[in-house]
Amino acid sequence: MEKLIYLNGEFLTAAEAKVSVFDHGVLYGDGIFEGIRAYHGRVFKLTEHLTRLYESAKTIMLNIGIPMKEMEEIVTGTLRENNLSDAYIRLVVTRGIGDLGLDPNNCSNPTIFCIADQIKLYSTELYENGLDVKTVAIRRTNPDSLSPRVKSLNYMNNILAKIEAEQARVTEAIMLTQEGYVVEGTADNIFIVRKNVLLTPPLSAGCLEGVTRNAVISVAQQLGIEVREELFNRHDVYNAQECFLTGTAAELIPVIKVDGRVVGQGLPGEIFKTLLKGFRELTLVDGTPINQ
Ligand code: PMP
């Protein structure tokens, strides 16, 4: 069956689903997006993803033009059209077609598209054995310039970090704030375990408010694991018992080496494994049904 993509009110094939070269999403990265997952016929944390989308829109003063309920229908409708119950969904809203100037007021209507597909960021081997990562020289965008809480179409900061990691022949990059605190991966939040406490940087450090991050925090709290949103630096990561990344696409993935230092035992940790189990259980029950 050919994949069908939602684009501005229509379901089109990949060959037909085209965006204008005058779209400001293409010309300026002026737009926002969400990466969402469906598990077992339910869209995991759909309300949380849509809330973040509409909050990003508000901050960049983009009028999406349709209510959240209709956006929900676009996401579930795309999955139904493609007969998918487990999938990765990319929902994008751009400023729309304008002229060559950057003024968003010259863009008439936002462009909305939704793709449902599969995604596999890392090999099974890496999920089982953990990632070798590095802290990169390029710093995460300063929140005073552009809030990393806006999930914008401009990922150049993250892409440059990814390139730096690849040049150093490691799989992932850990990004730091201007002050040198650990903040997040290129498309993932970061957690460490120190003295059996789960730590993750606070949103004020300048990371995305990850949906998976929030889910992991609540799973940990339900399991009685102490969680703190707290700034930490590279020394804390090198000397952590455990380290792992979270994201919709990556889910939960262990980190076993950072800048050449082995973290903990150099194996996926016990708290990581407990949280992964709890997260998997949550994906079985949580979510908006695709077929209502
Ligand atoms: N940080 C960044 C920069 C990201 O792009 C992502 C992926 N959306 C995340 C963190 C993880 O967020 P989520 O769990 O909502 O996918």
Side-chain angles (χ1 to χ4, degrees):
M1 192 182 110
E2 198 165 359
K3 201 186 348 278
L4 289 176
I5 293 155
Y6 173 93
L7 174 63
N8 292 335
E10 288 180 289
F11 285 103
L12 304 168
T13 62
E16 292 163 345
K18 298 264 168 59
V19 172
S20 164
V21 293
F22 287 99
D23 194 297
H24 278 209
V26 177
L27 287 176
Y28 293 112
D30 185 357
I32 50 176
F33 75 102
E34 280 299 315
I36 311 169
R37 251 186 206 268
Y39 295 97
H40 319 291
R42 288 169 187 274
V43 188
F44 186 65
K45 303 276 179 205
L46 182 54
T47 309
E48 285 80 349
H49 281 287
L50 294 183
T51 301
R52 188 170 67 186
L53 184 79
Y54 279 75
E55 286 187 4
S56 292
K58 181 158 189 182
T59 296
I60 71 162
M61 298 187 87
L62 190 163
N63 181 4
I64 296 180
I66 57 167
M68 212 190 276
K69 196 73 202 152
E70 210 173 305
M71 196 60 95
E72 188 179 305
E73 192 44 45
I74 289 172
V75 173
T76 53
T78 305
L79 290 161
R80 279 196 299 275
E81 283 292 325
N82 289 282
N83 211 6
L84 288 168
S85 55
D86 288 82
Y88 178 79
I89 302 135
R90 178 58 57 89
L91 178 62
V92 180
V93 185
T94 79
R95 190 79 66 176
I97 296 171
D99 58 19
L100 290 180
L102 60 76
D103 190 348
N105 292 318
N106 294 328
C107 301
S108 44
N109 295 308
T111 301
I112 303 177
F113 60 90
C114 185
I115 308 165
D117 208 339
Q118 302 301 325
I119 195 165
K120 193 165 171 61
L121 290 192
Y122 306 111
S123 65
T124 311
E125 194 255 323
L126 287 176
Y127 279 97
E128 280 164 11
N129 299 333
L131 296 177
D132 181 358
V133 307
K134 116 185 248 314
T135 55
V136 290
I138 189 155
R139 297 297 164 108
R140 186 76 180 99
T141 308
N142 191 326
D144 294 338
S145 303
L146 169 64
S147 172
R149 291 180 68 184
V150 172
K151 198 162 165 57
S152 93
L153 286 183
N154 197 317
Y155 258 53
M156 194 50 71
N157 179 228
N158 318 54
I159 290 165
L160 290 175
K162 187 83 179 170
I163 290 173
E164 228 183 290
E166 278 166 3
Q167 295 279 304
R169 299 190 197 292
V170 295
T171 350
E172 248 319 320
I174 301 299
M175 303 184 80
L176 308 176
T177 65
Q178 300 295 320
E179 299 78 24
Y181 291 109
V182 171
V183 65
E184 61 182 340
T186 57
D188 300 296
N189 291 106
I190 184 166
F191 285 84
I192 59 168
V193 179
R194 292 271 275 163
K195 297 182 185 150
N196 294 324
V197 177
L198 188 63
L199 302 175
T200 196
L203 301 179
S204 57
C207 56
L208 186 78
E209 184 173 0
V211 170
T212 323
R213 170 192 187 273
N214 288 354
V216 165
I217 290 175
S218 64
V219 167
Q221 284 166 340
Q222 272 160 27
L223 293 171
I225 298 167
E226 189 184 338
V227 191
R228 289 210 298 261
E229 295 181 48
E230 190 173 288
L231 288 172
F232 53 84
N233 57 30
R234 278 178 286 188
H235 176 84
D236 296 307
V237 180
Y238 301 155
N239 292 288
Q241 283 160 255
E242 301 185 19
C243 178
F244 61 92
L245 304 178
T246 66
T248 299
E251 300 177 300
L252 277 67
I253 185 154
V255 170
I256 47 125
K257 212 186 235 188
V258 181
D259 298 337
R261 280 80 161 176
V262 173
V263 176
Q265 304 300 311
L267 295 164
E270 289 311 312
I271 292 186
F272 168 80
K273 286 191 221 161
T274 307
L275 291 170
L276 178 60
K277 186 165 169 282
F279 177 79
R280 286 260 165 270
E281 282 165 9
L282 191 62
T283 63
L284 292 175
V285 293
D286 184 286
T288 306
I290 296 169
N291 295 298
Q292 336 223 10

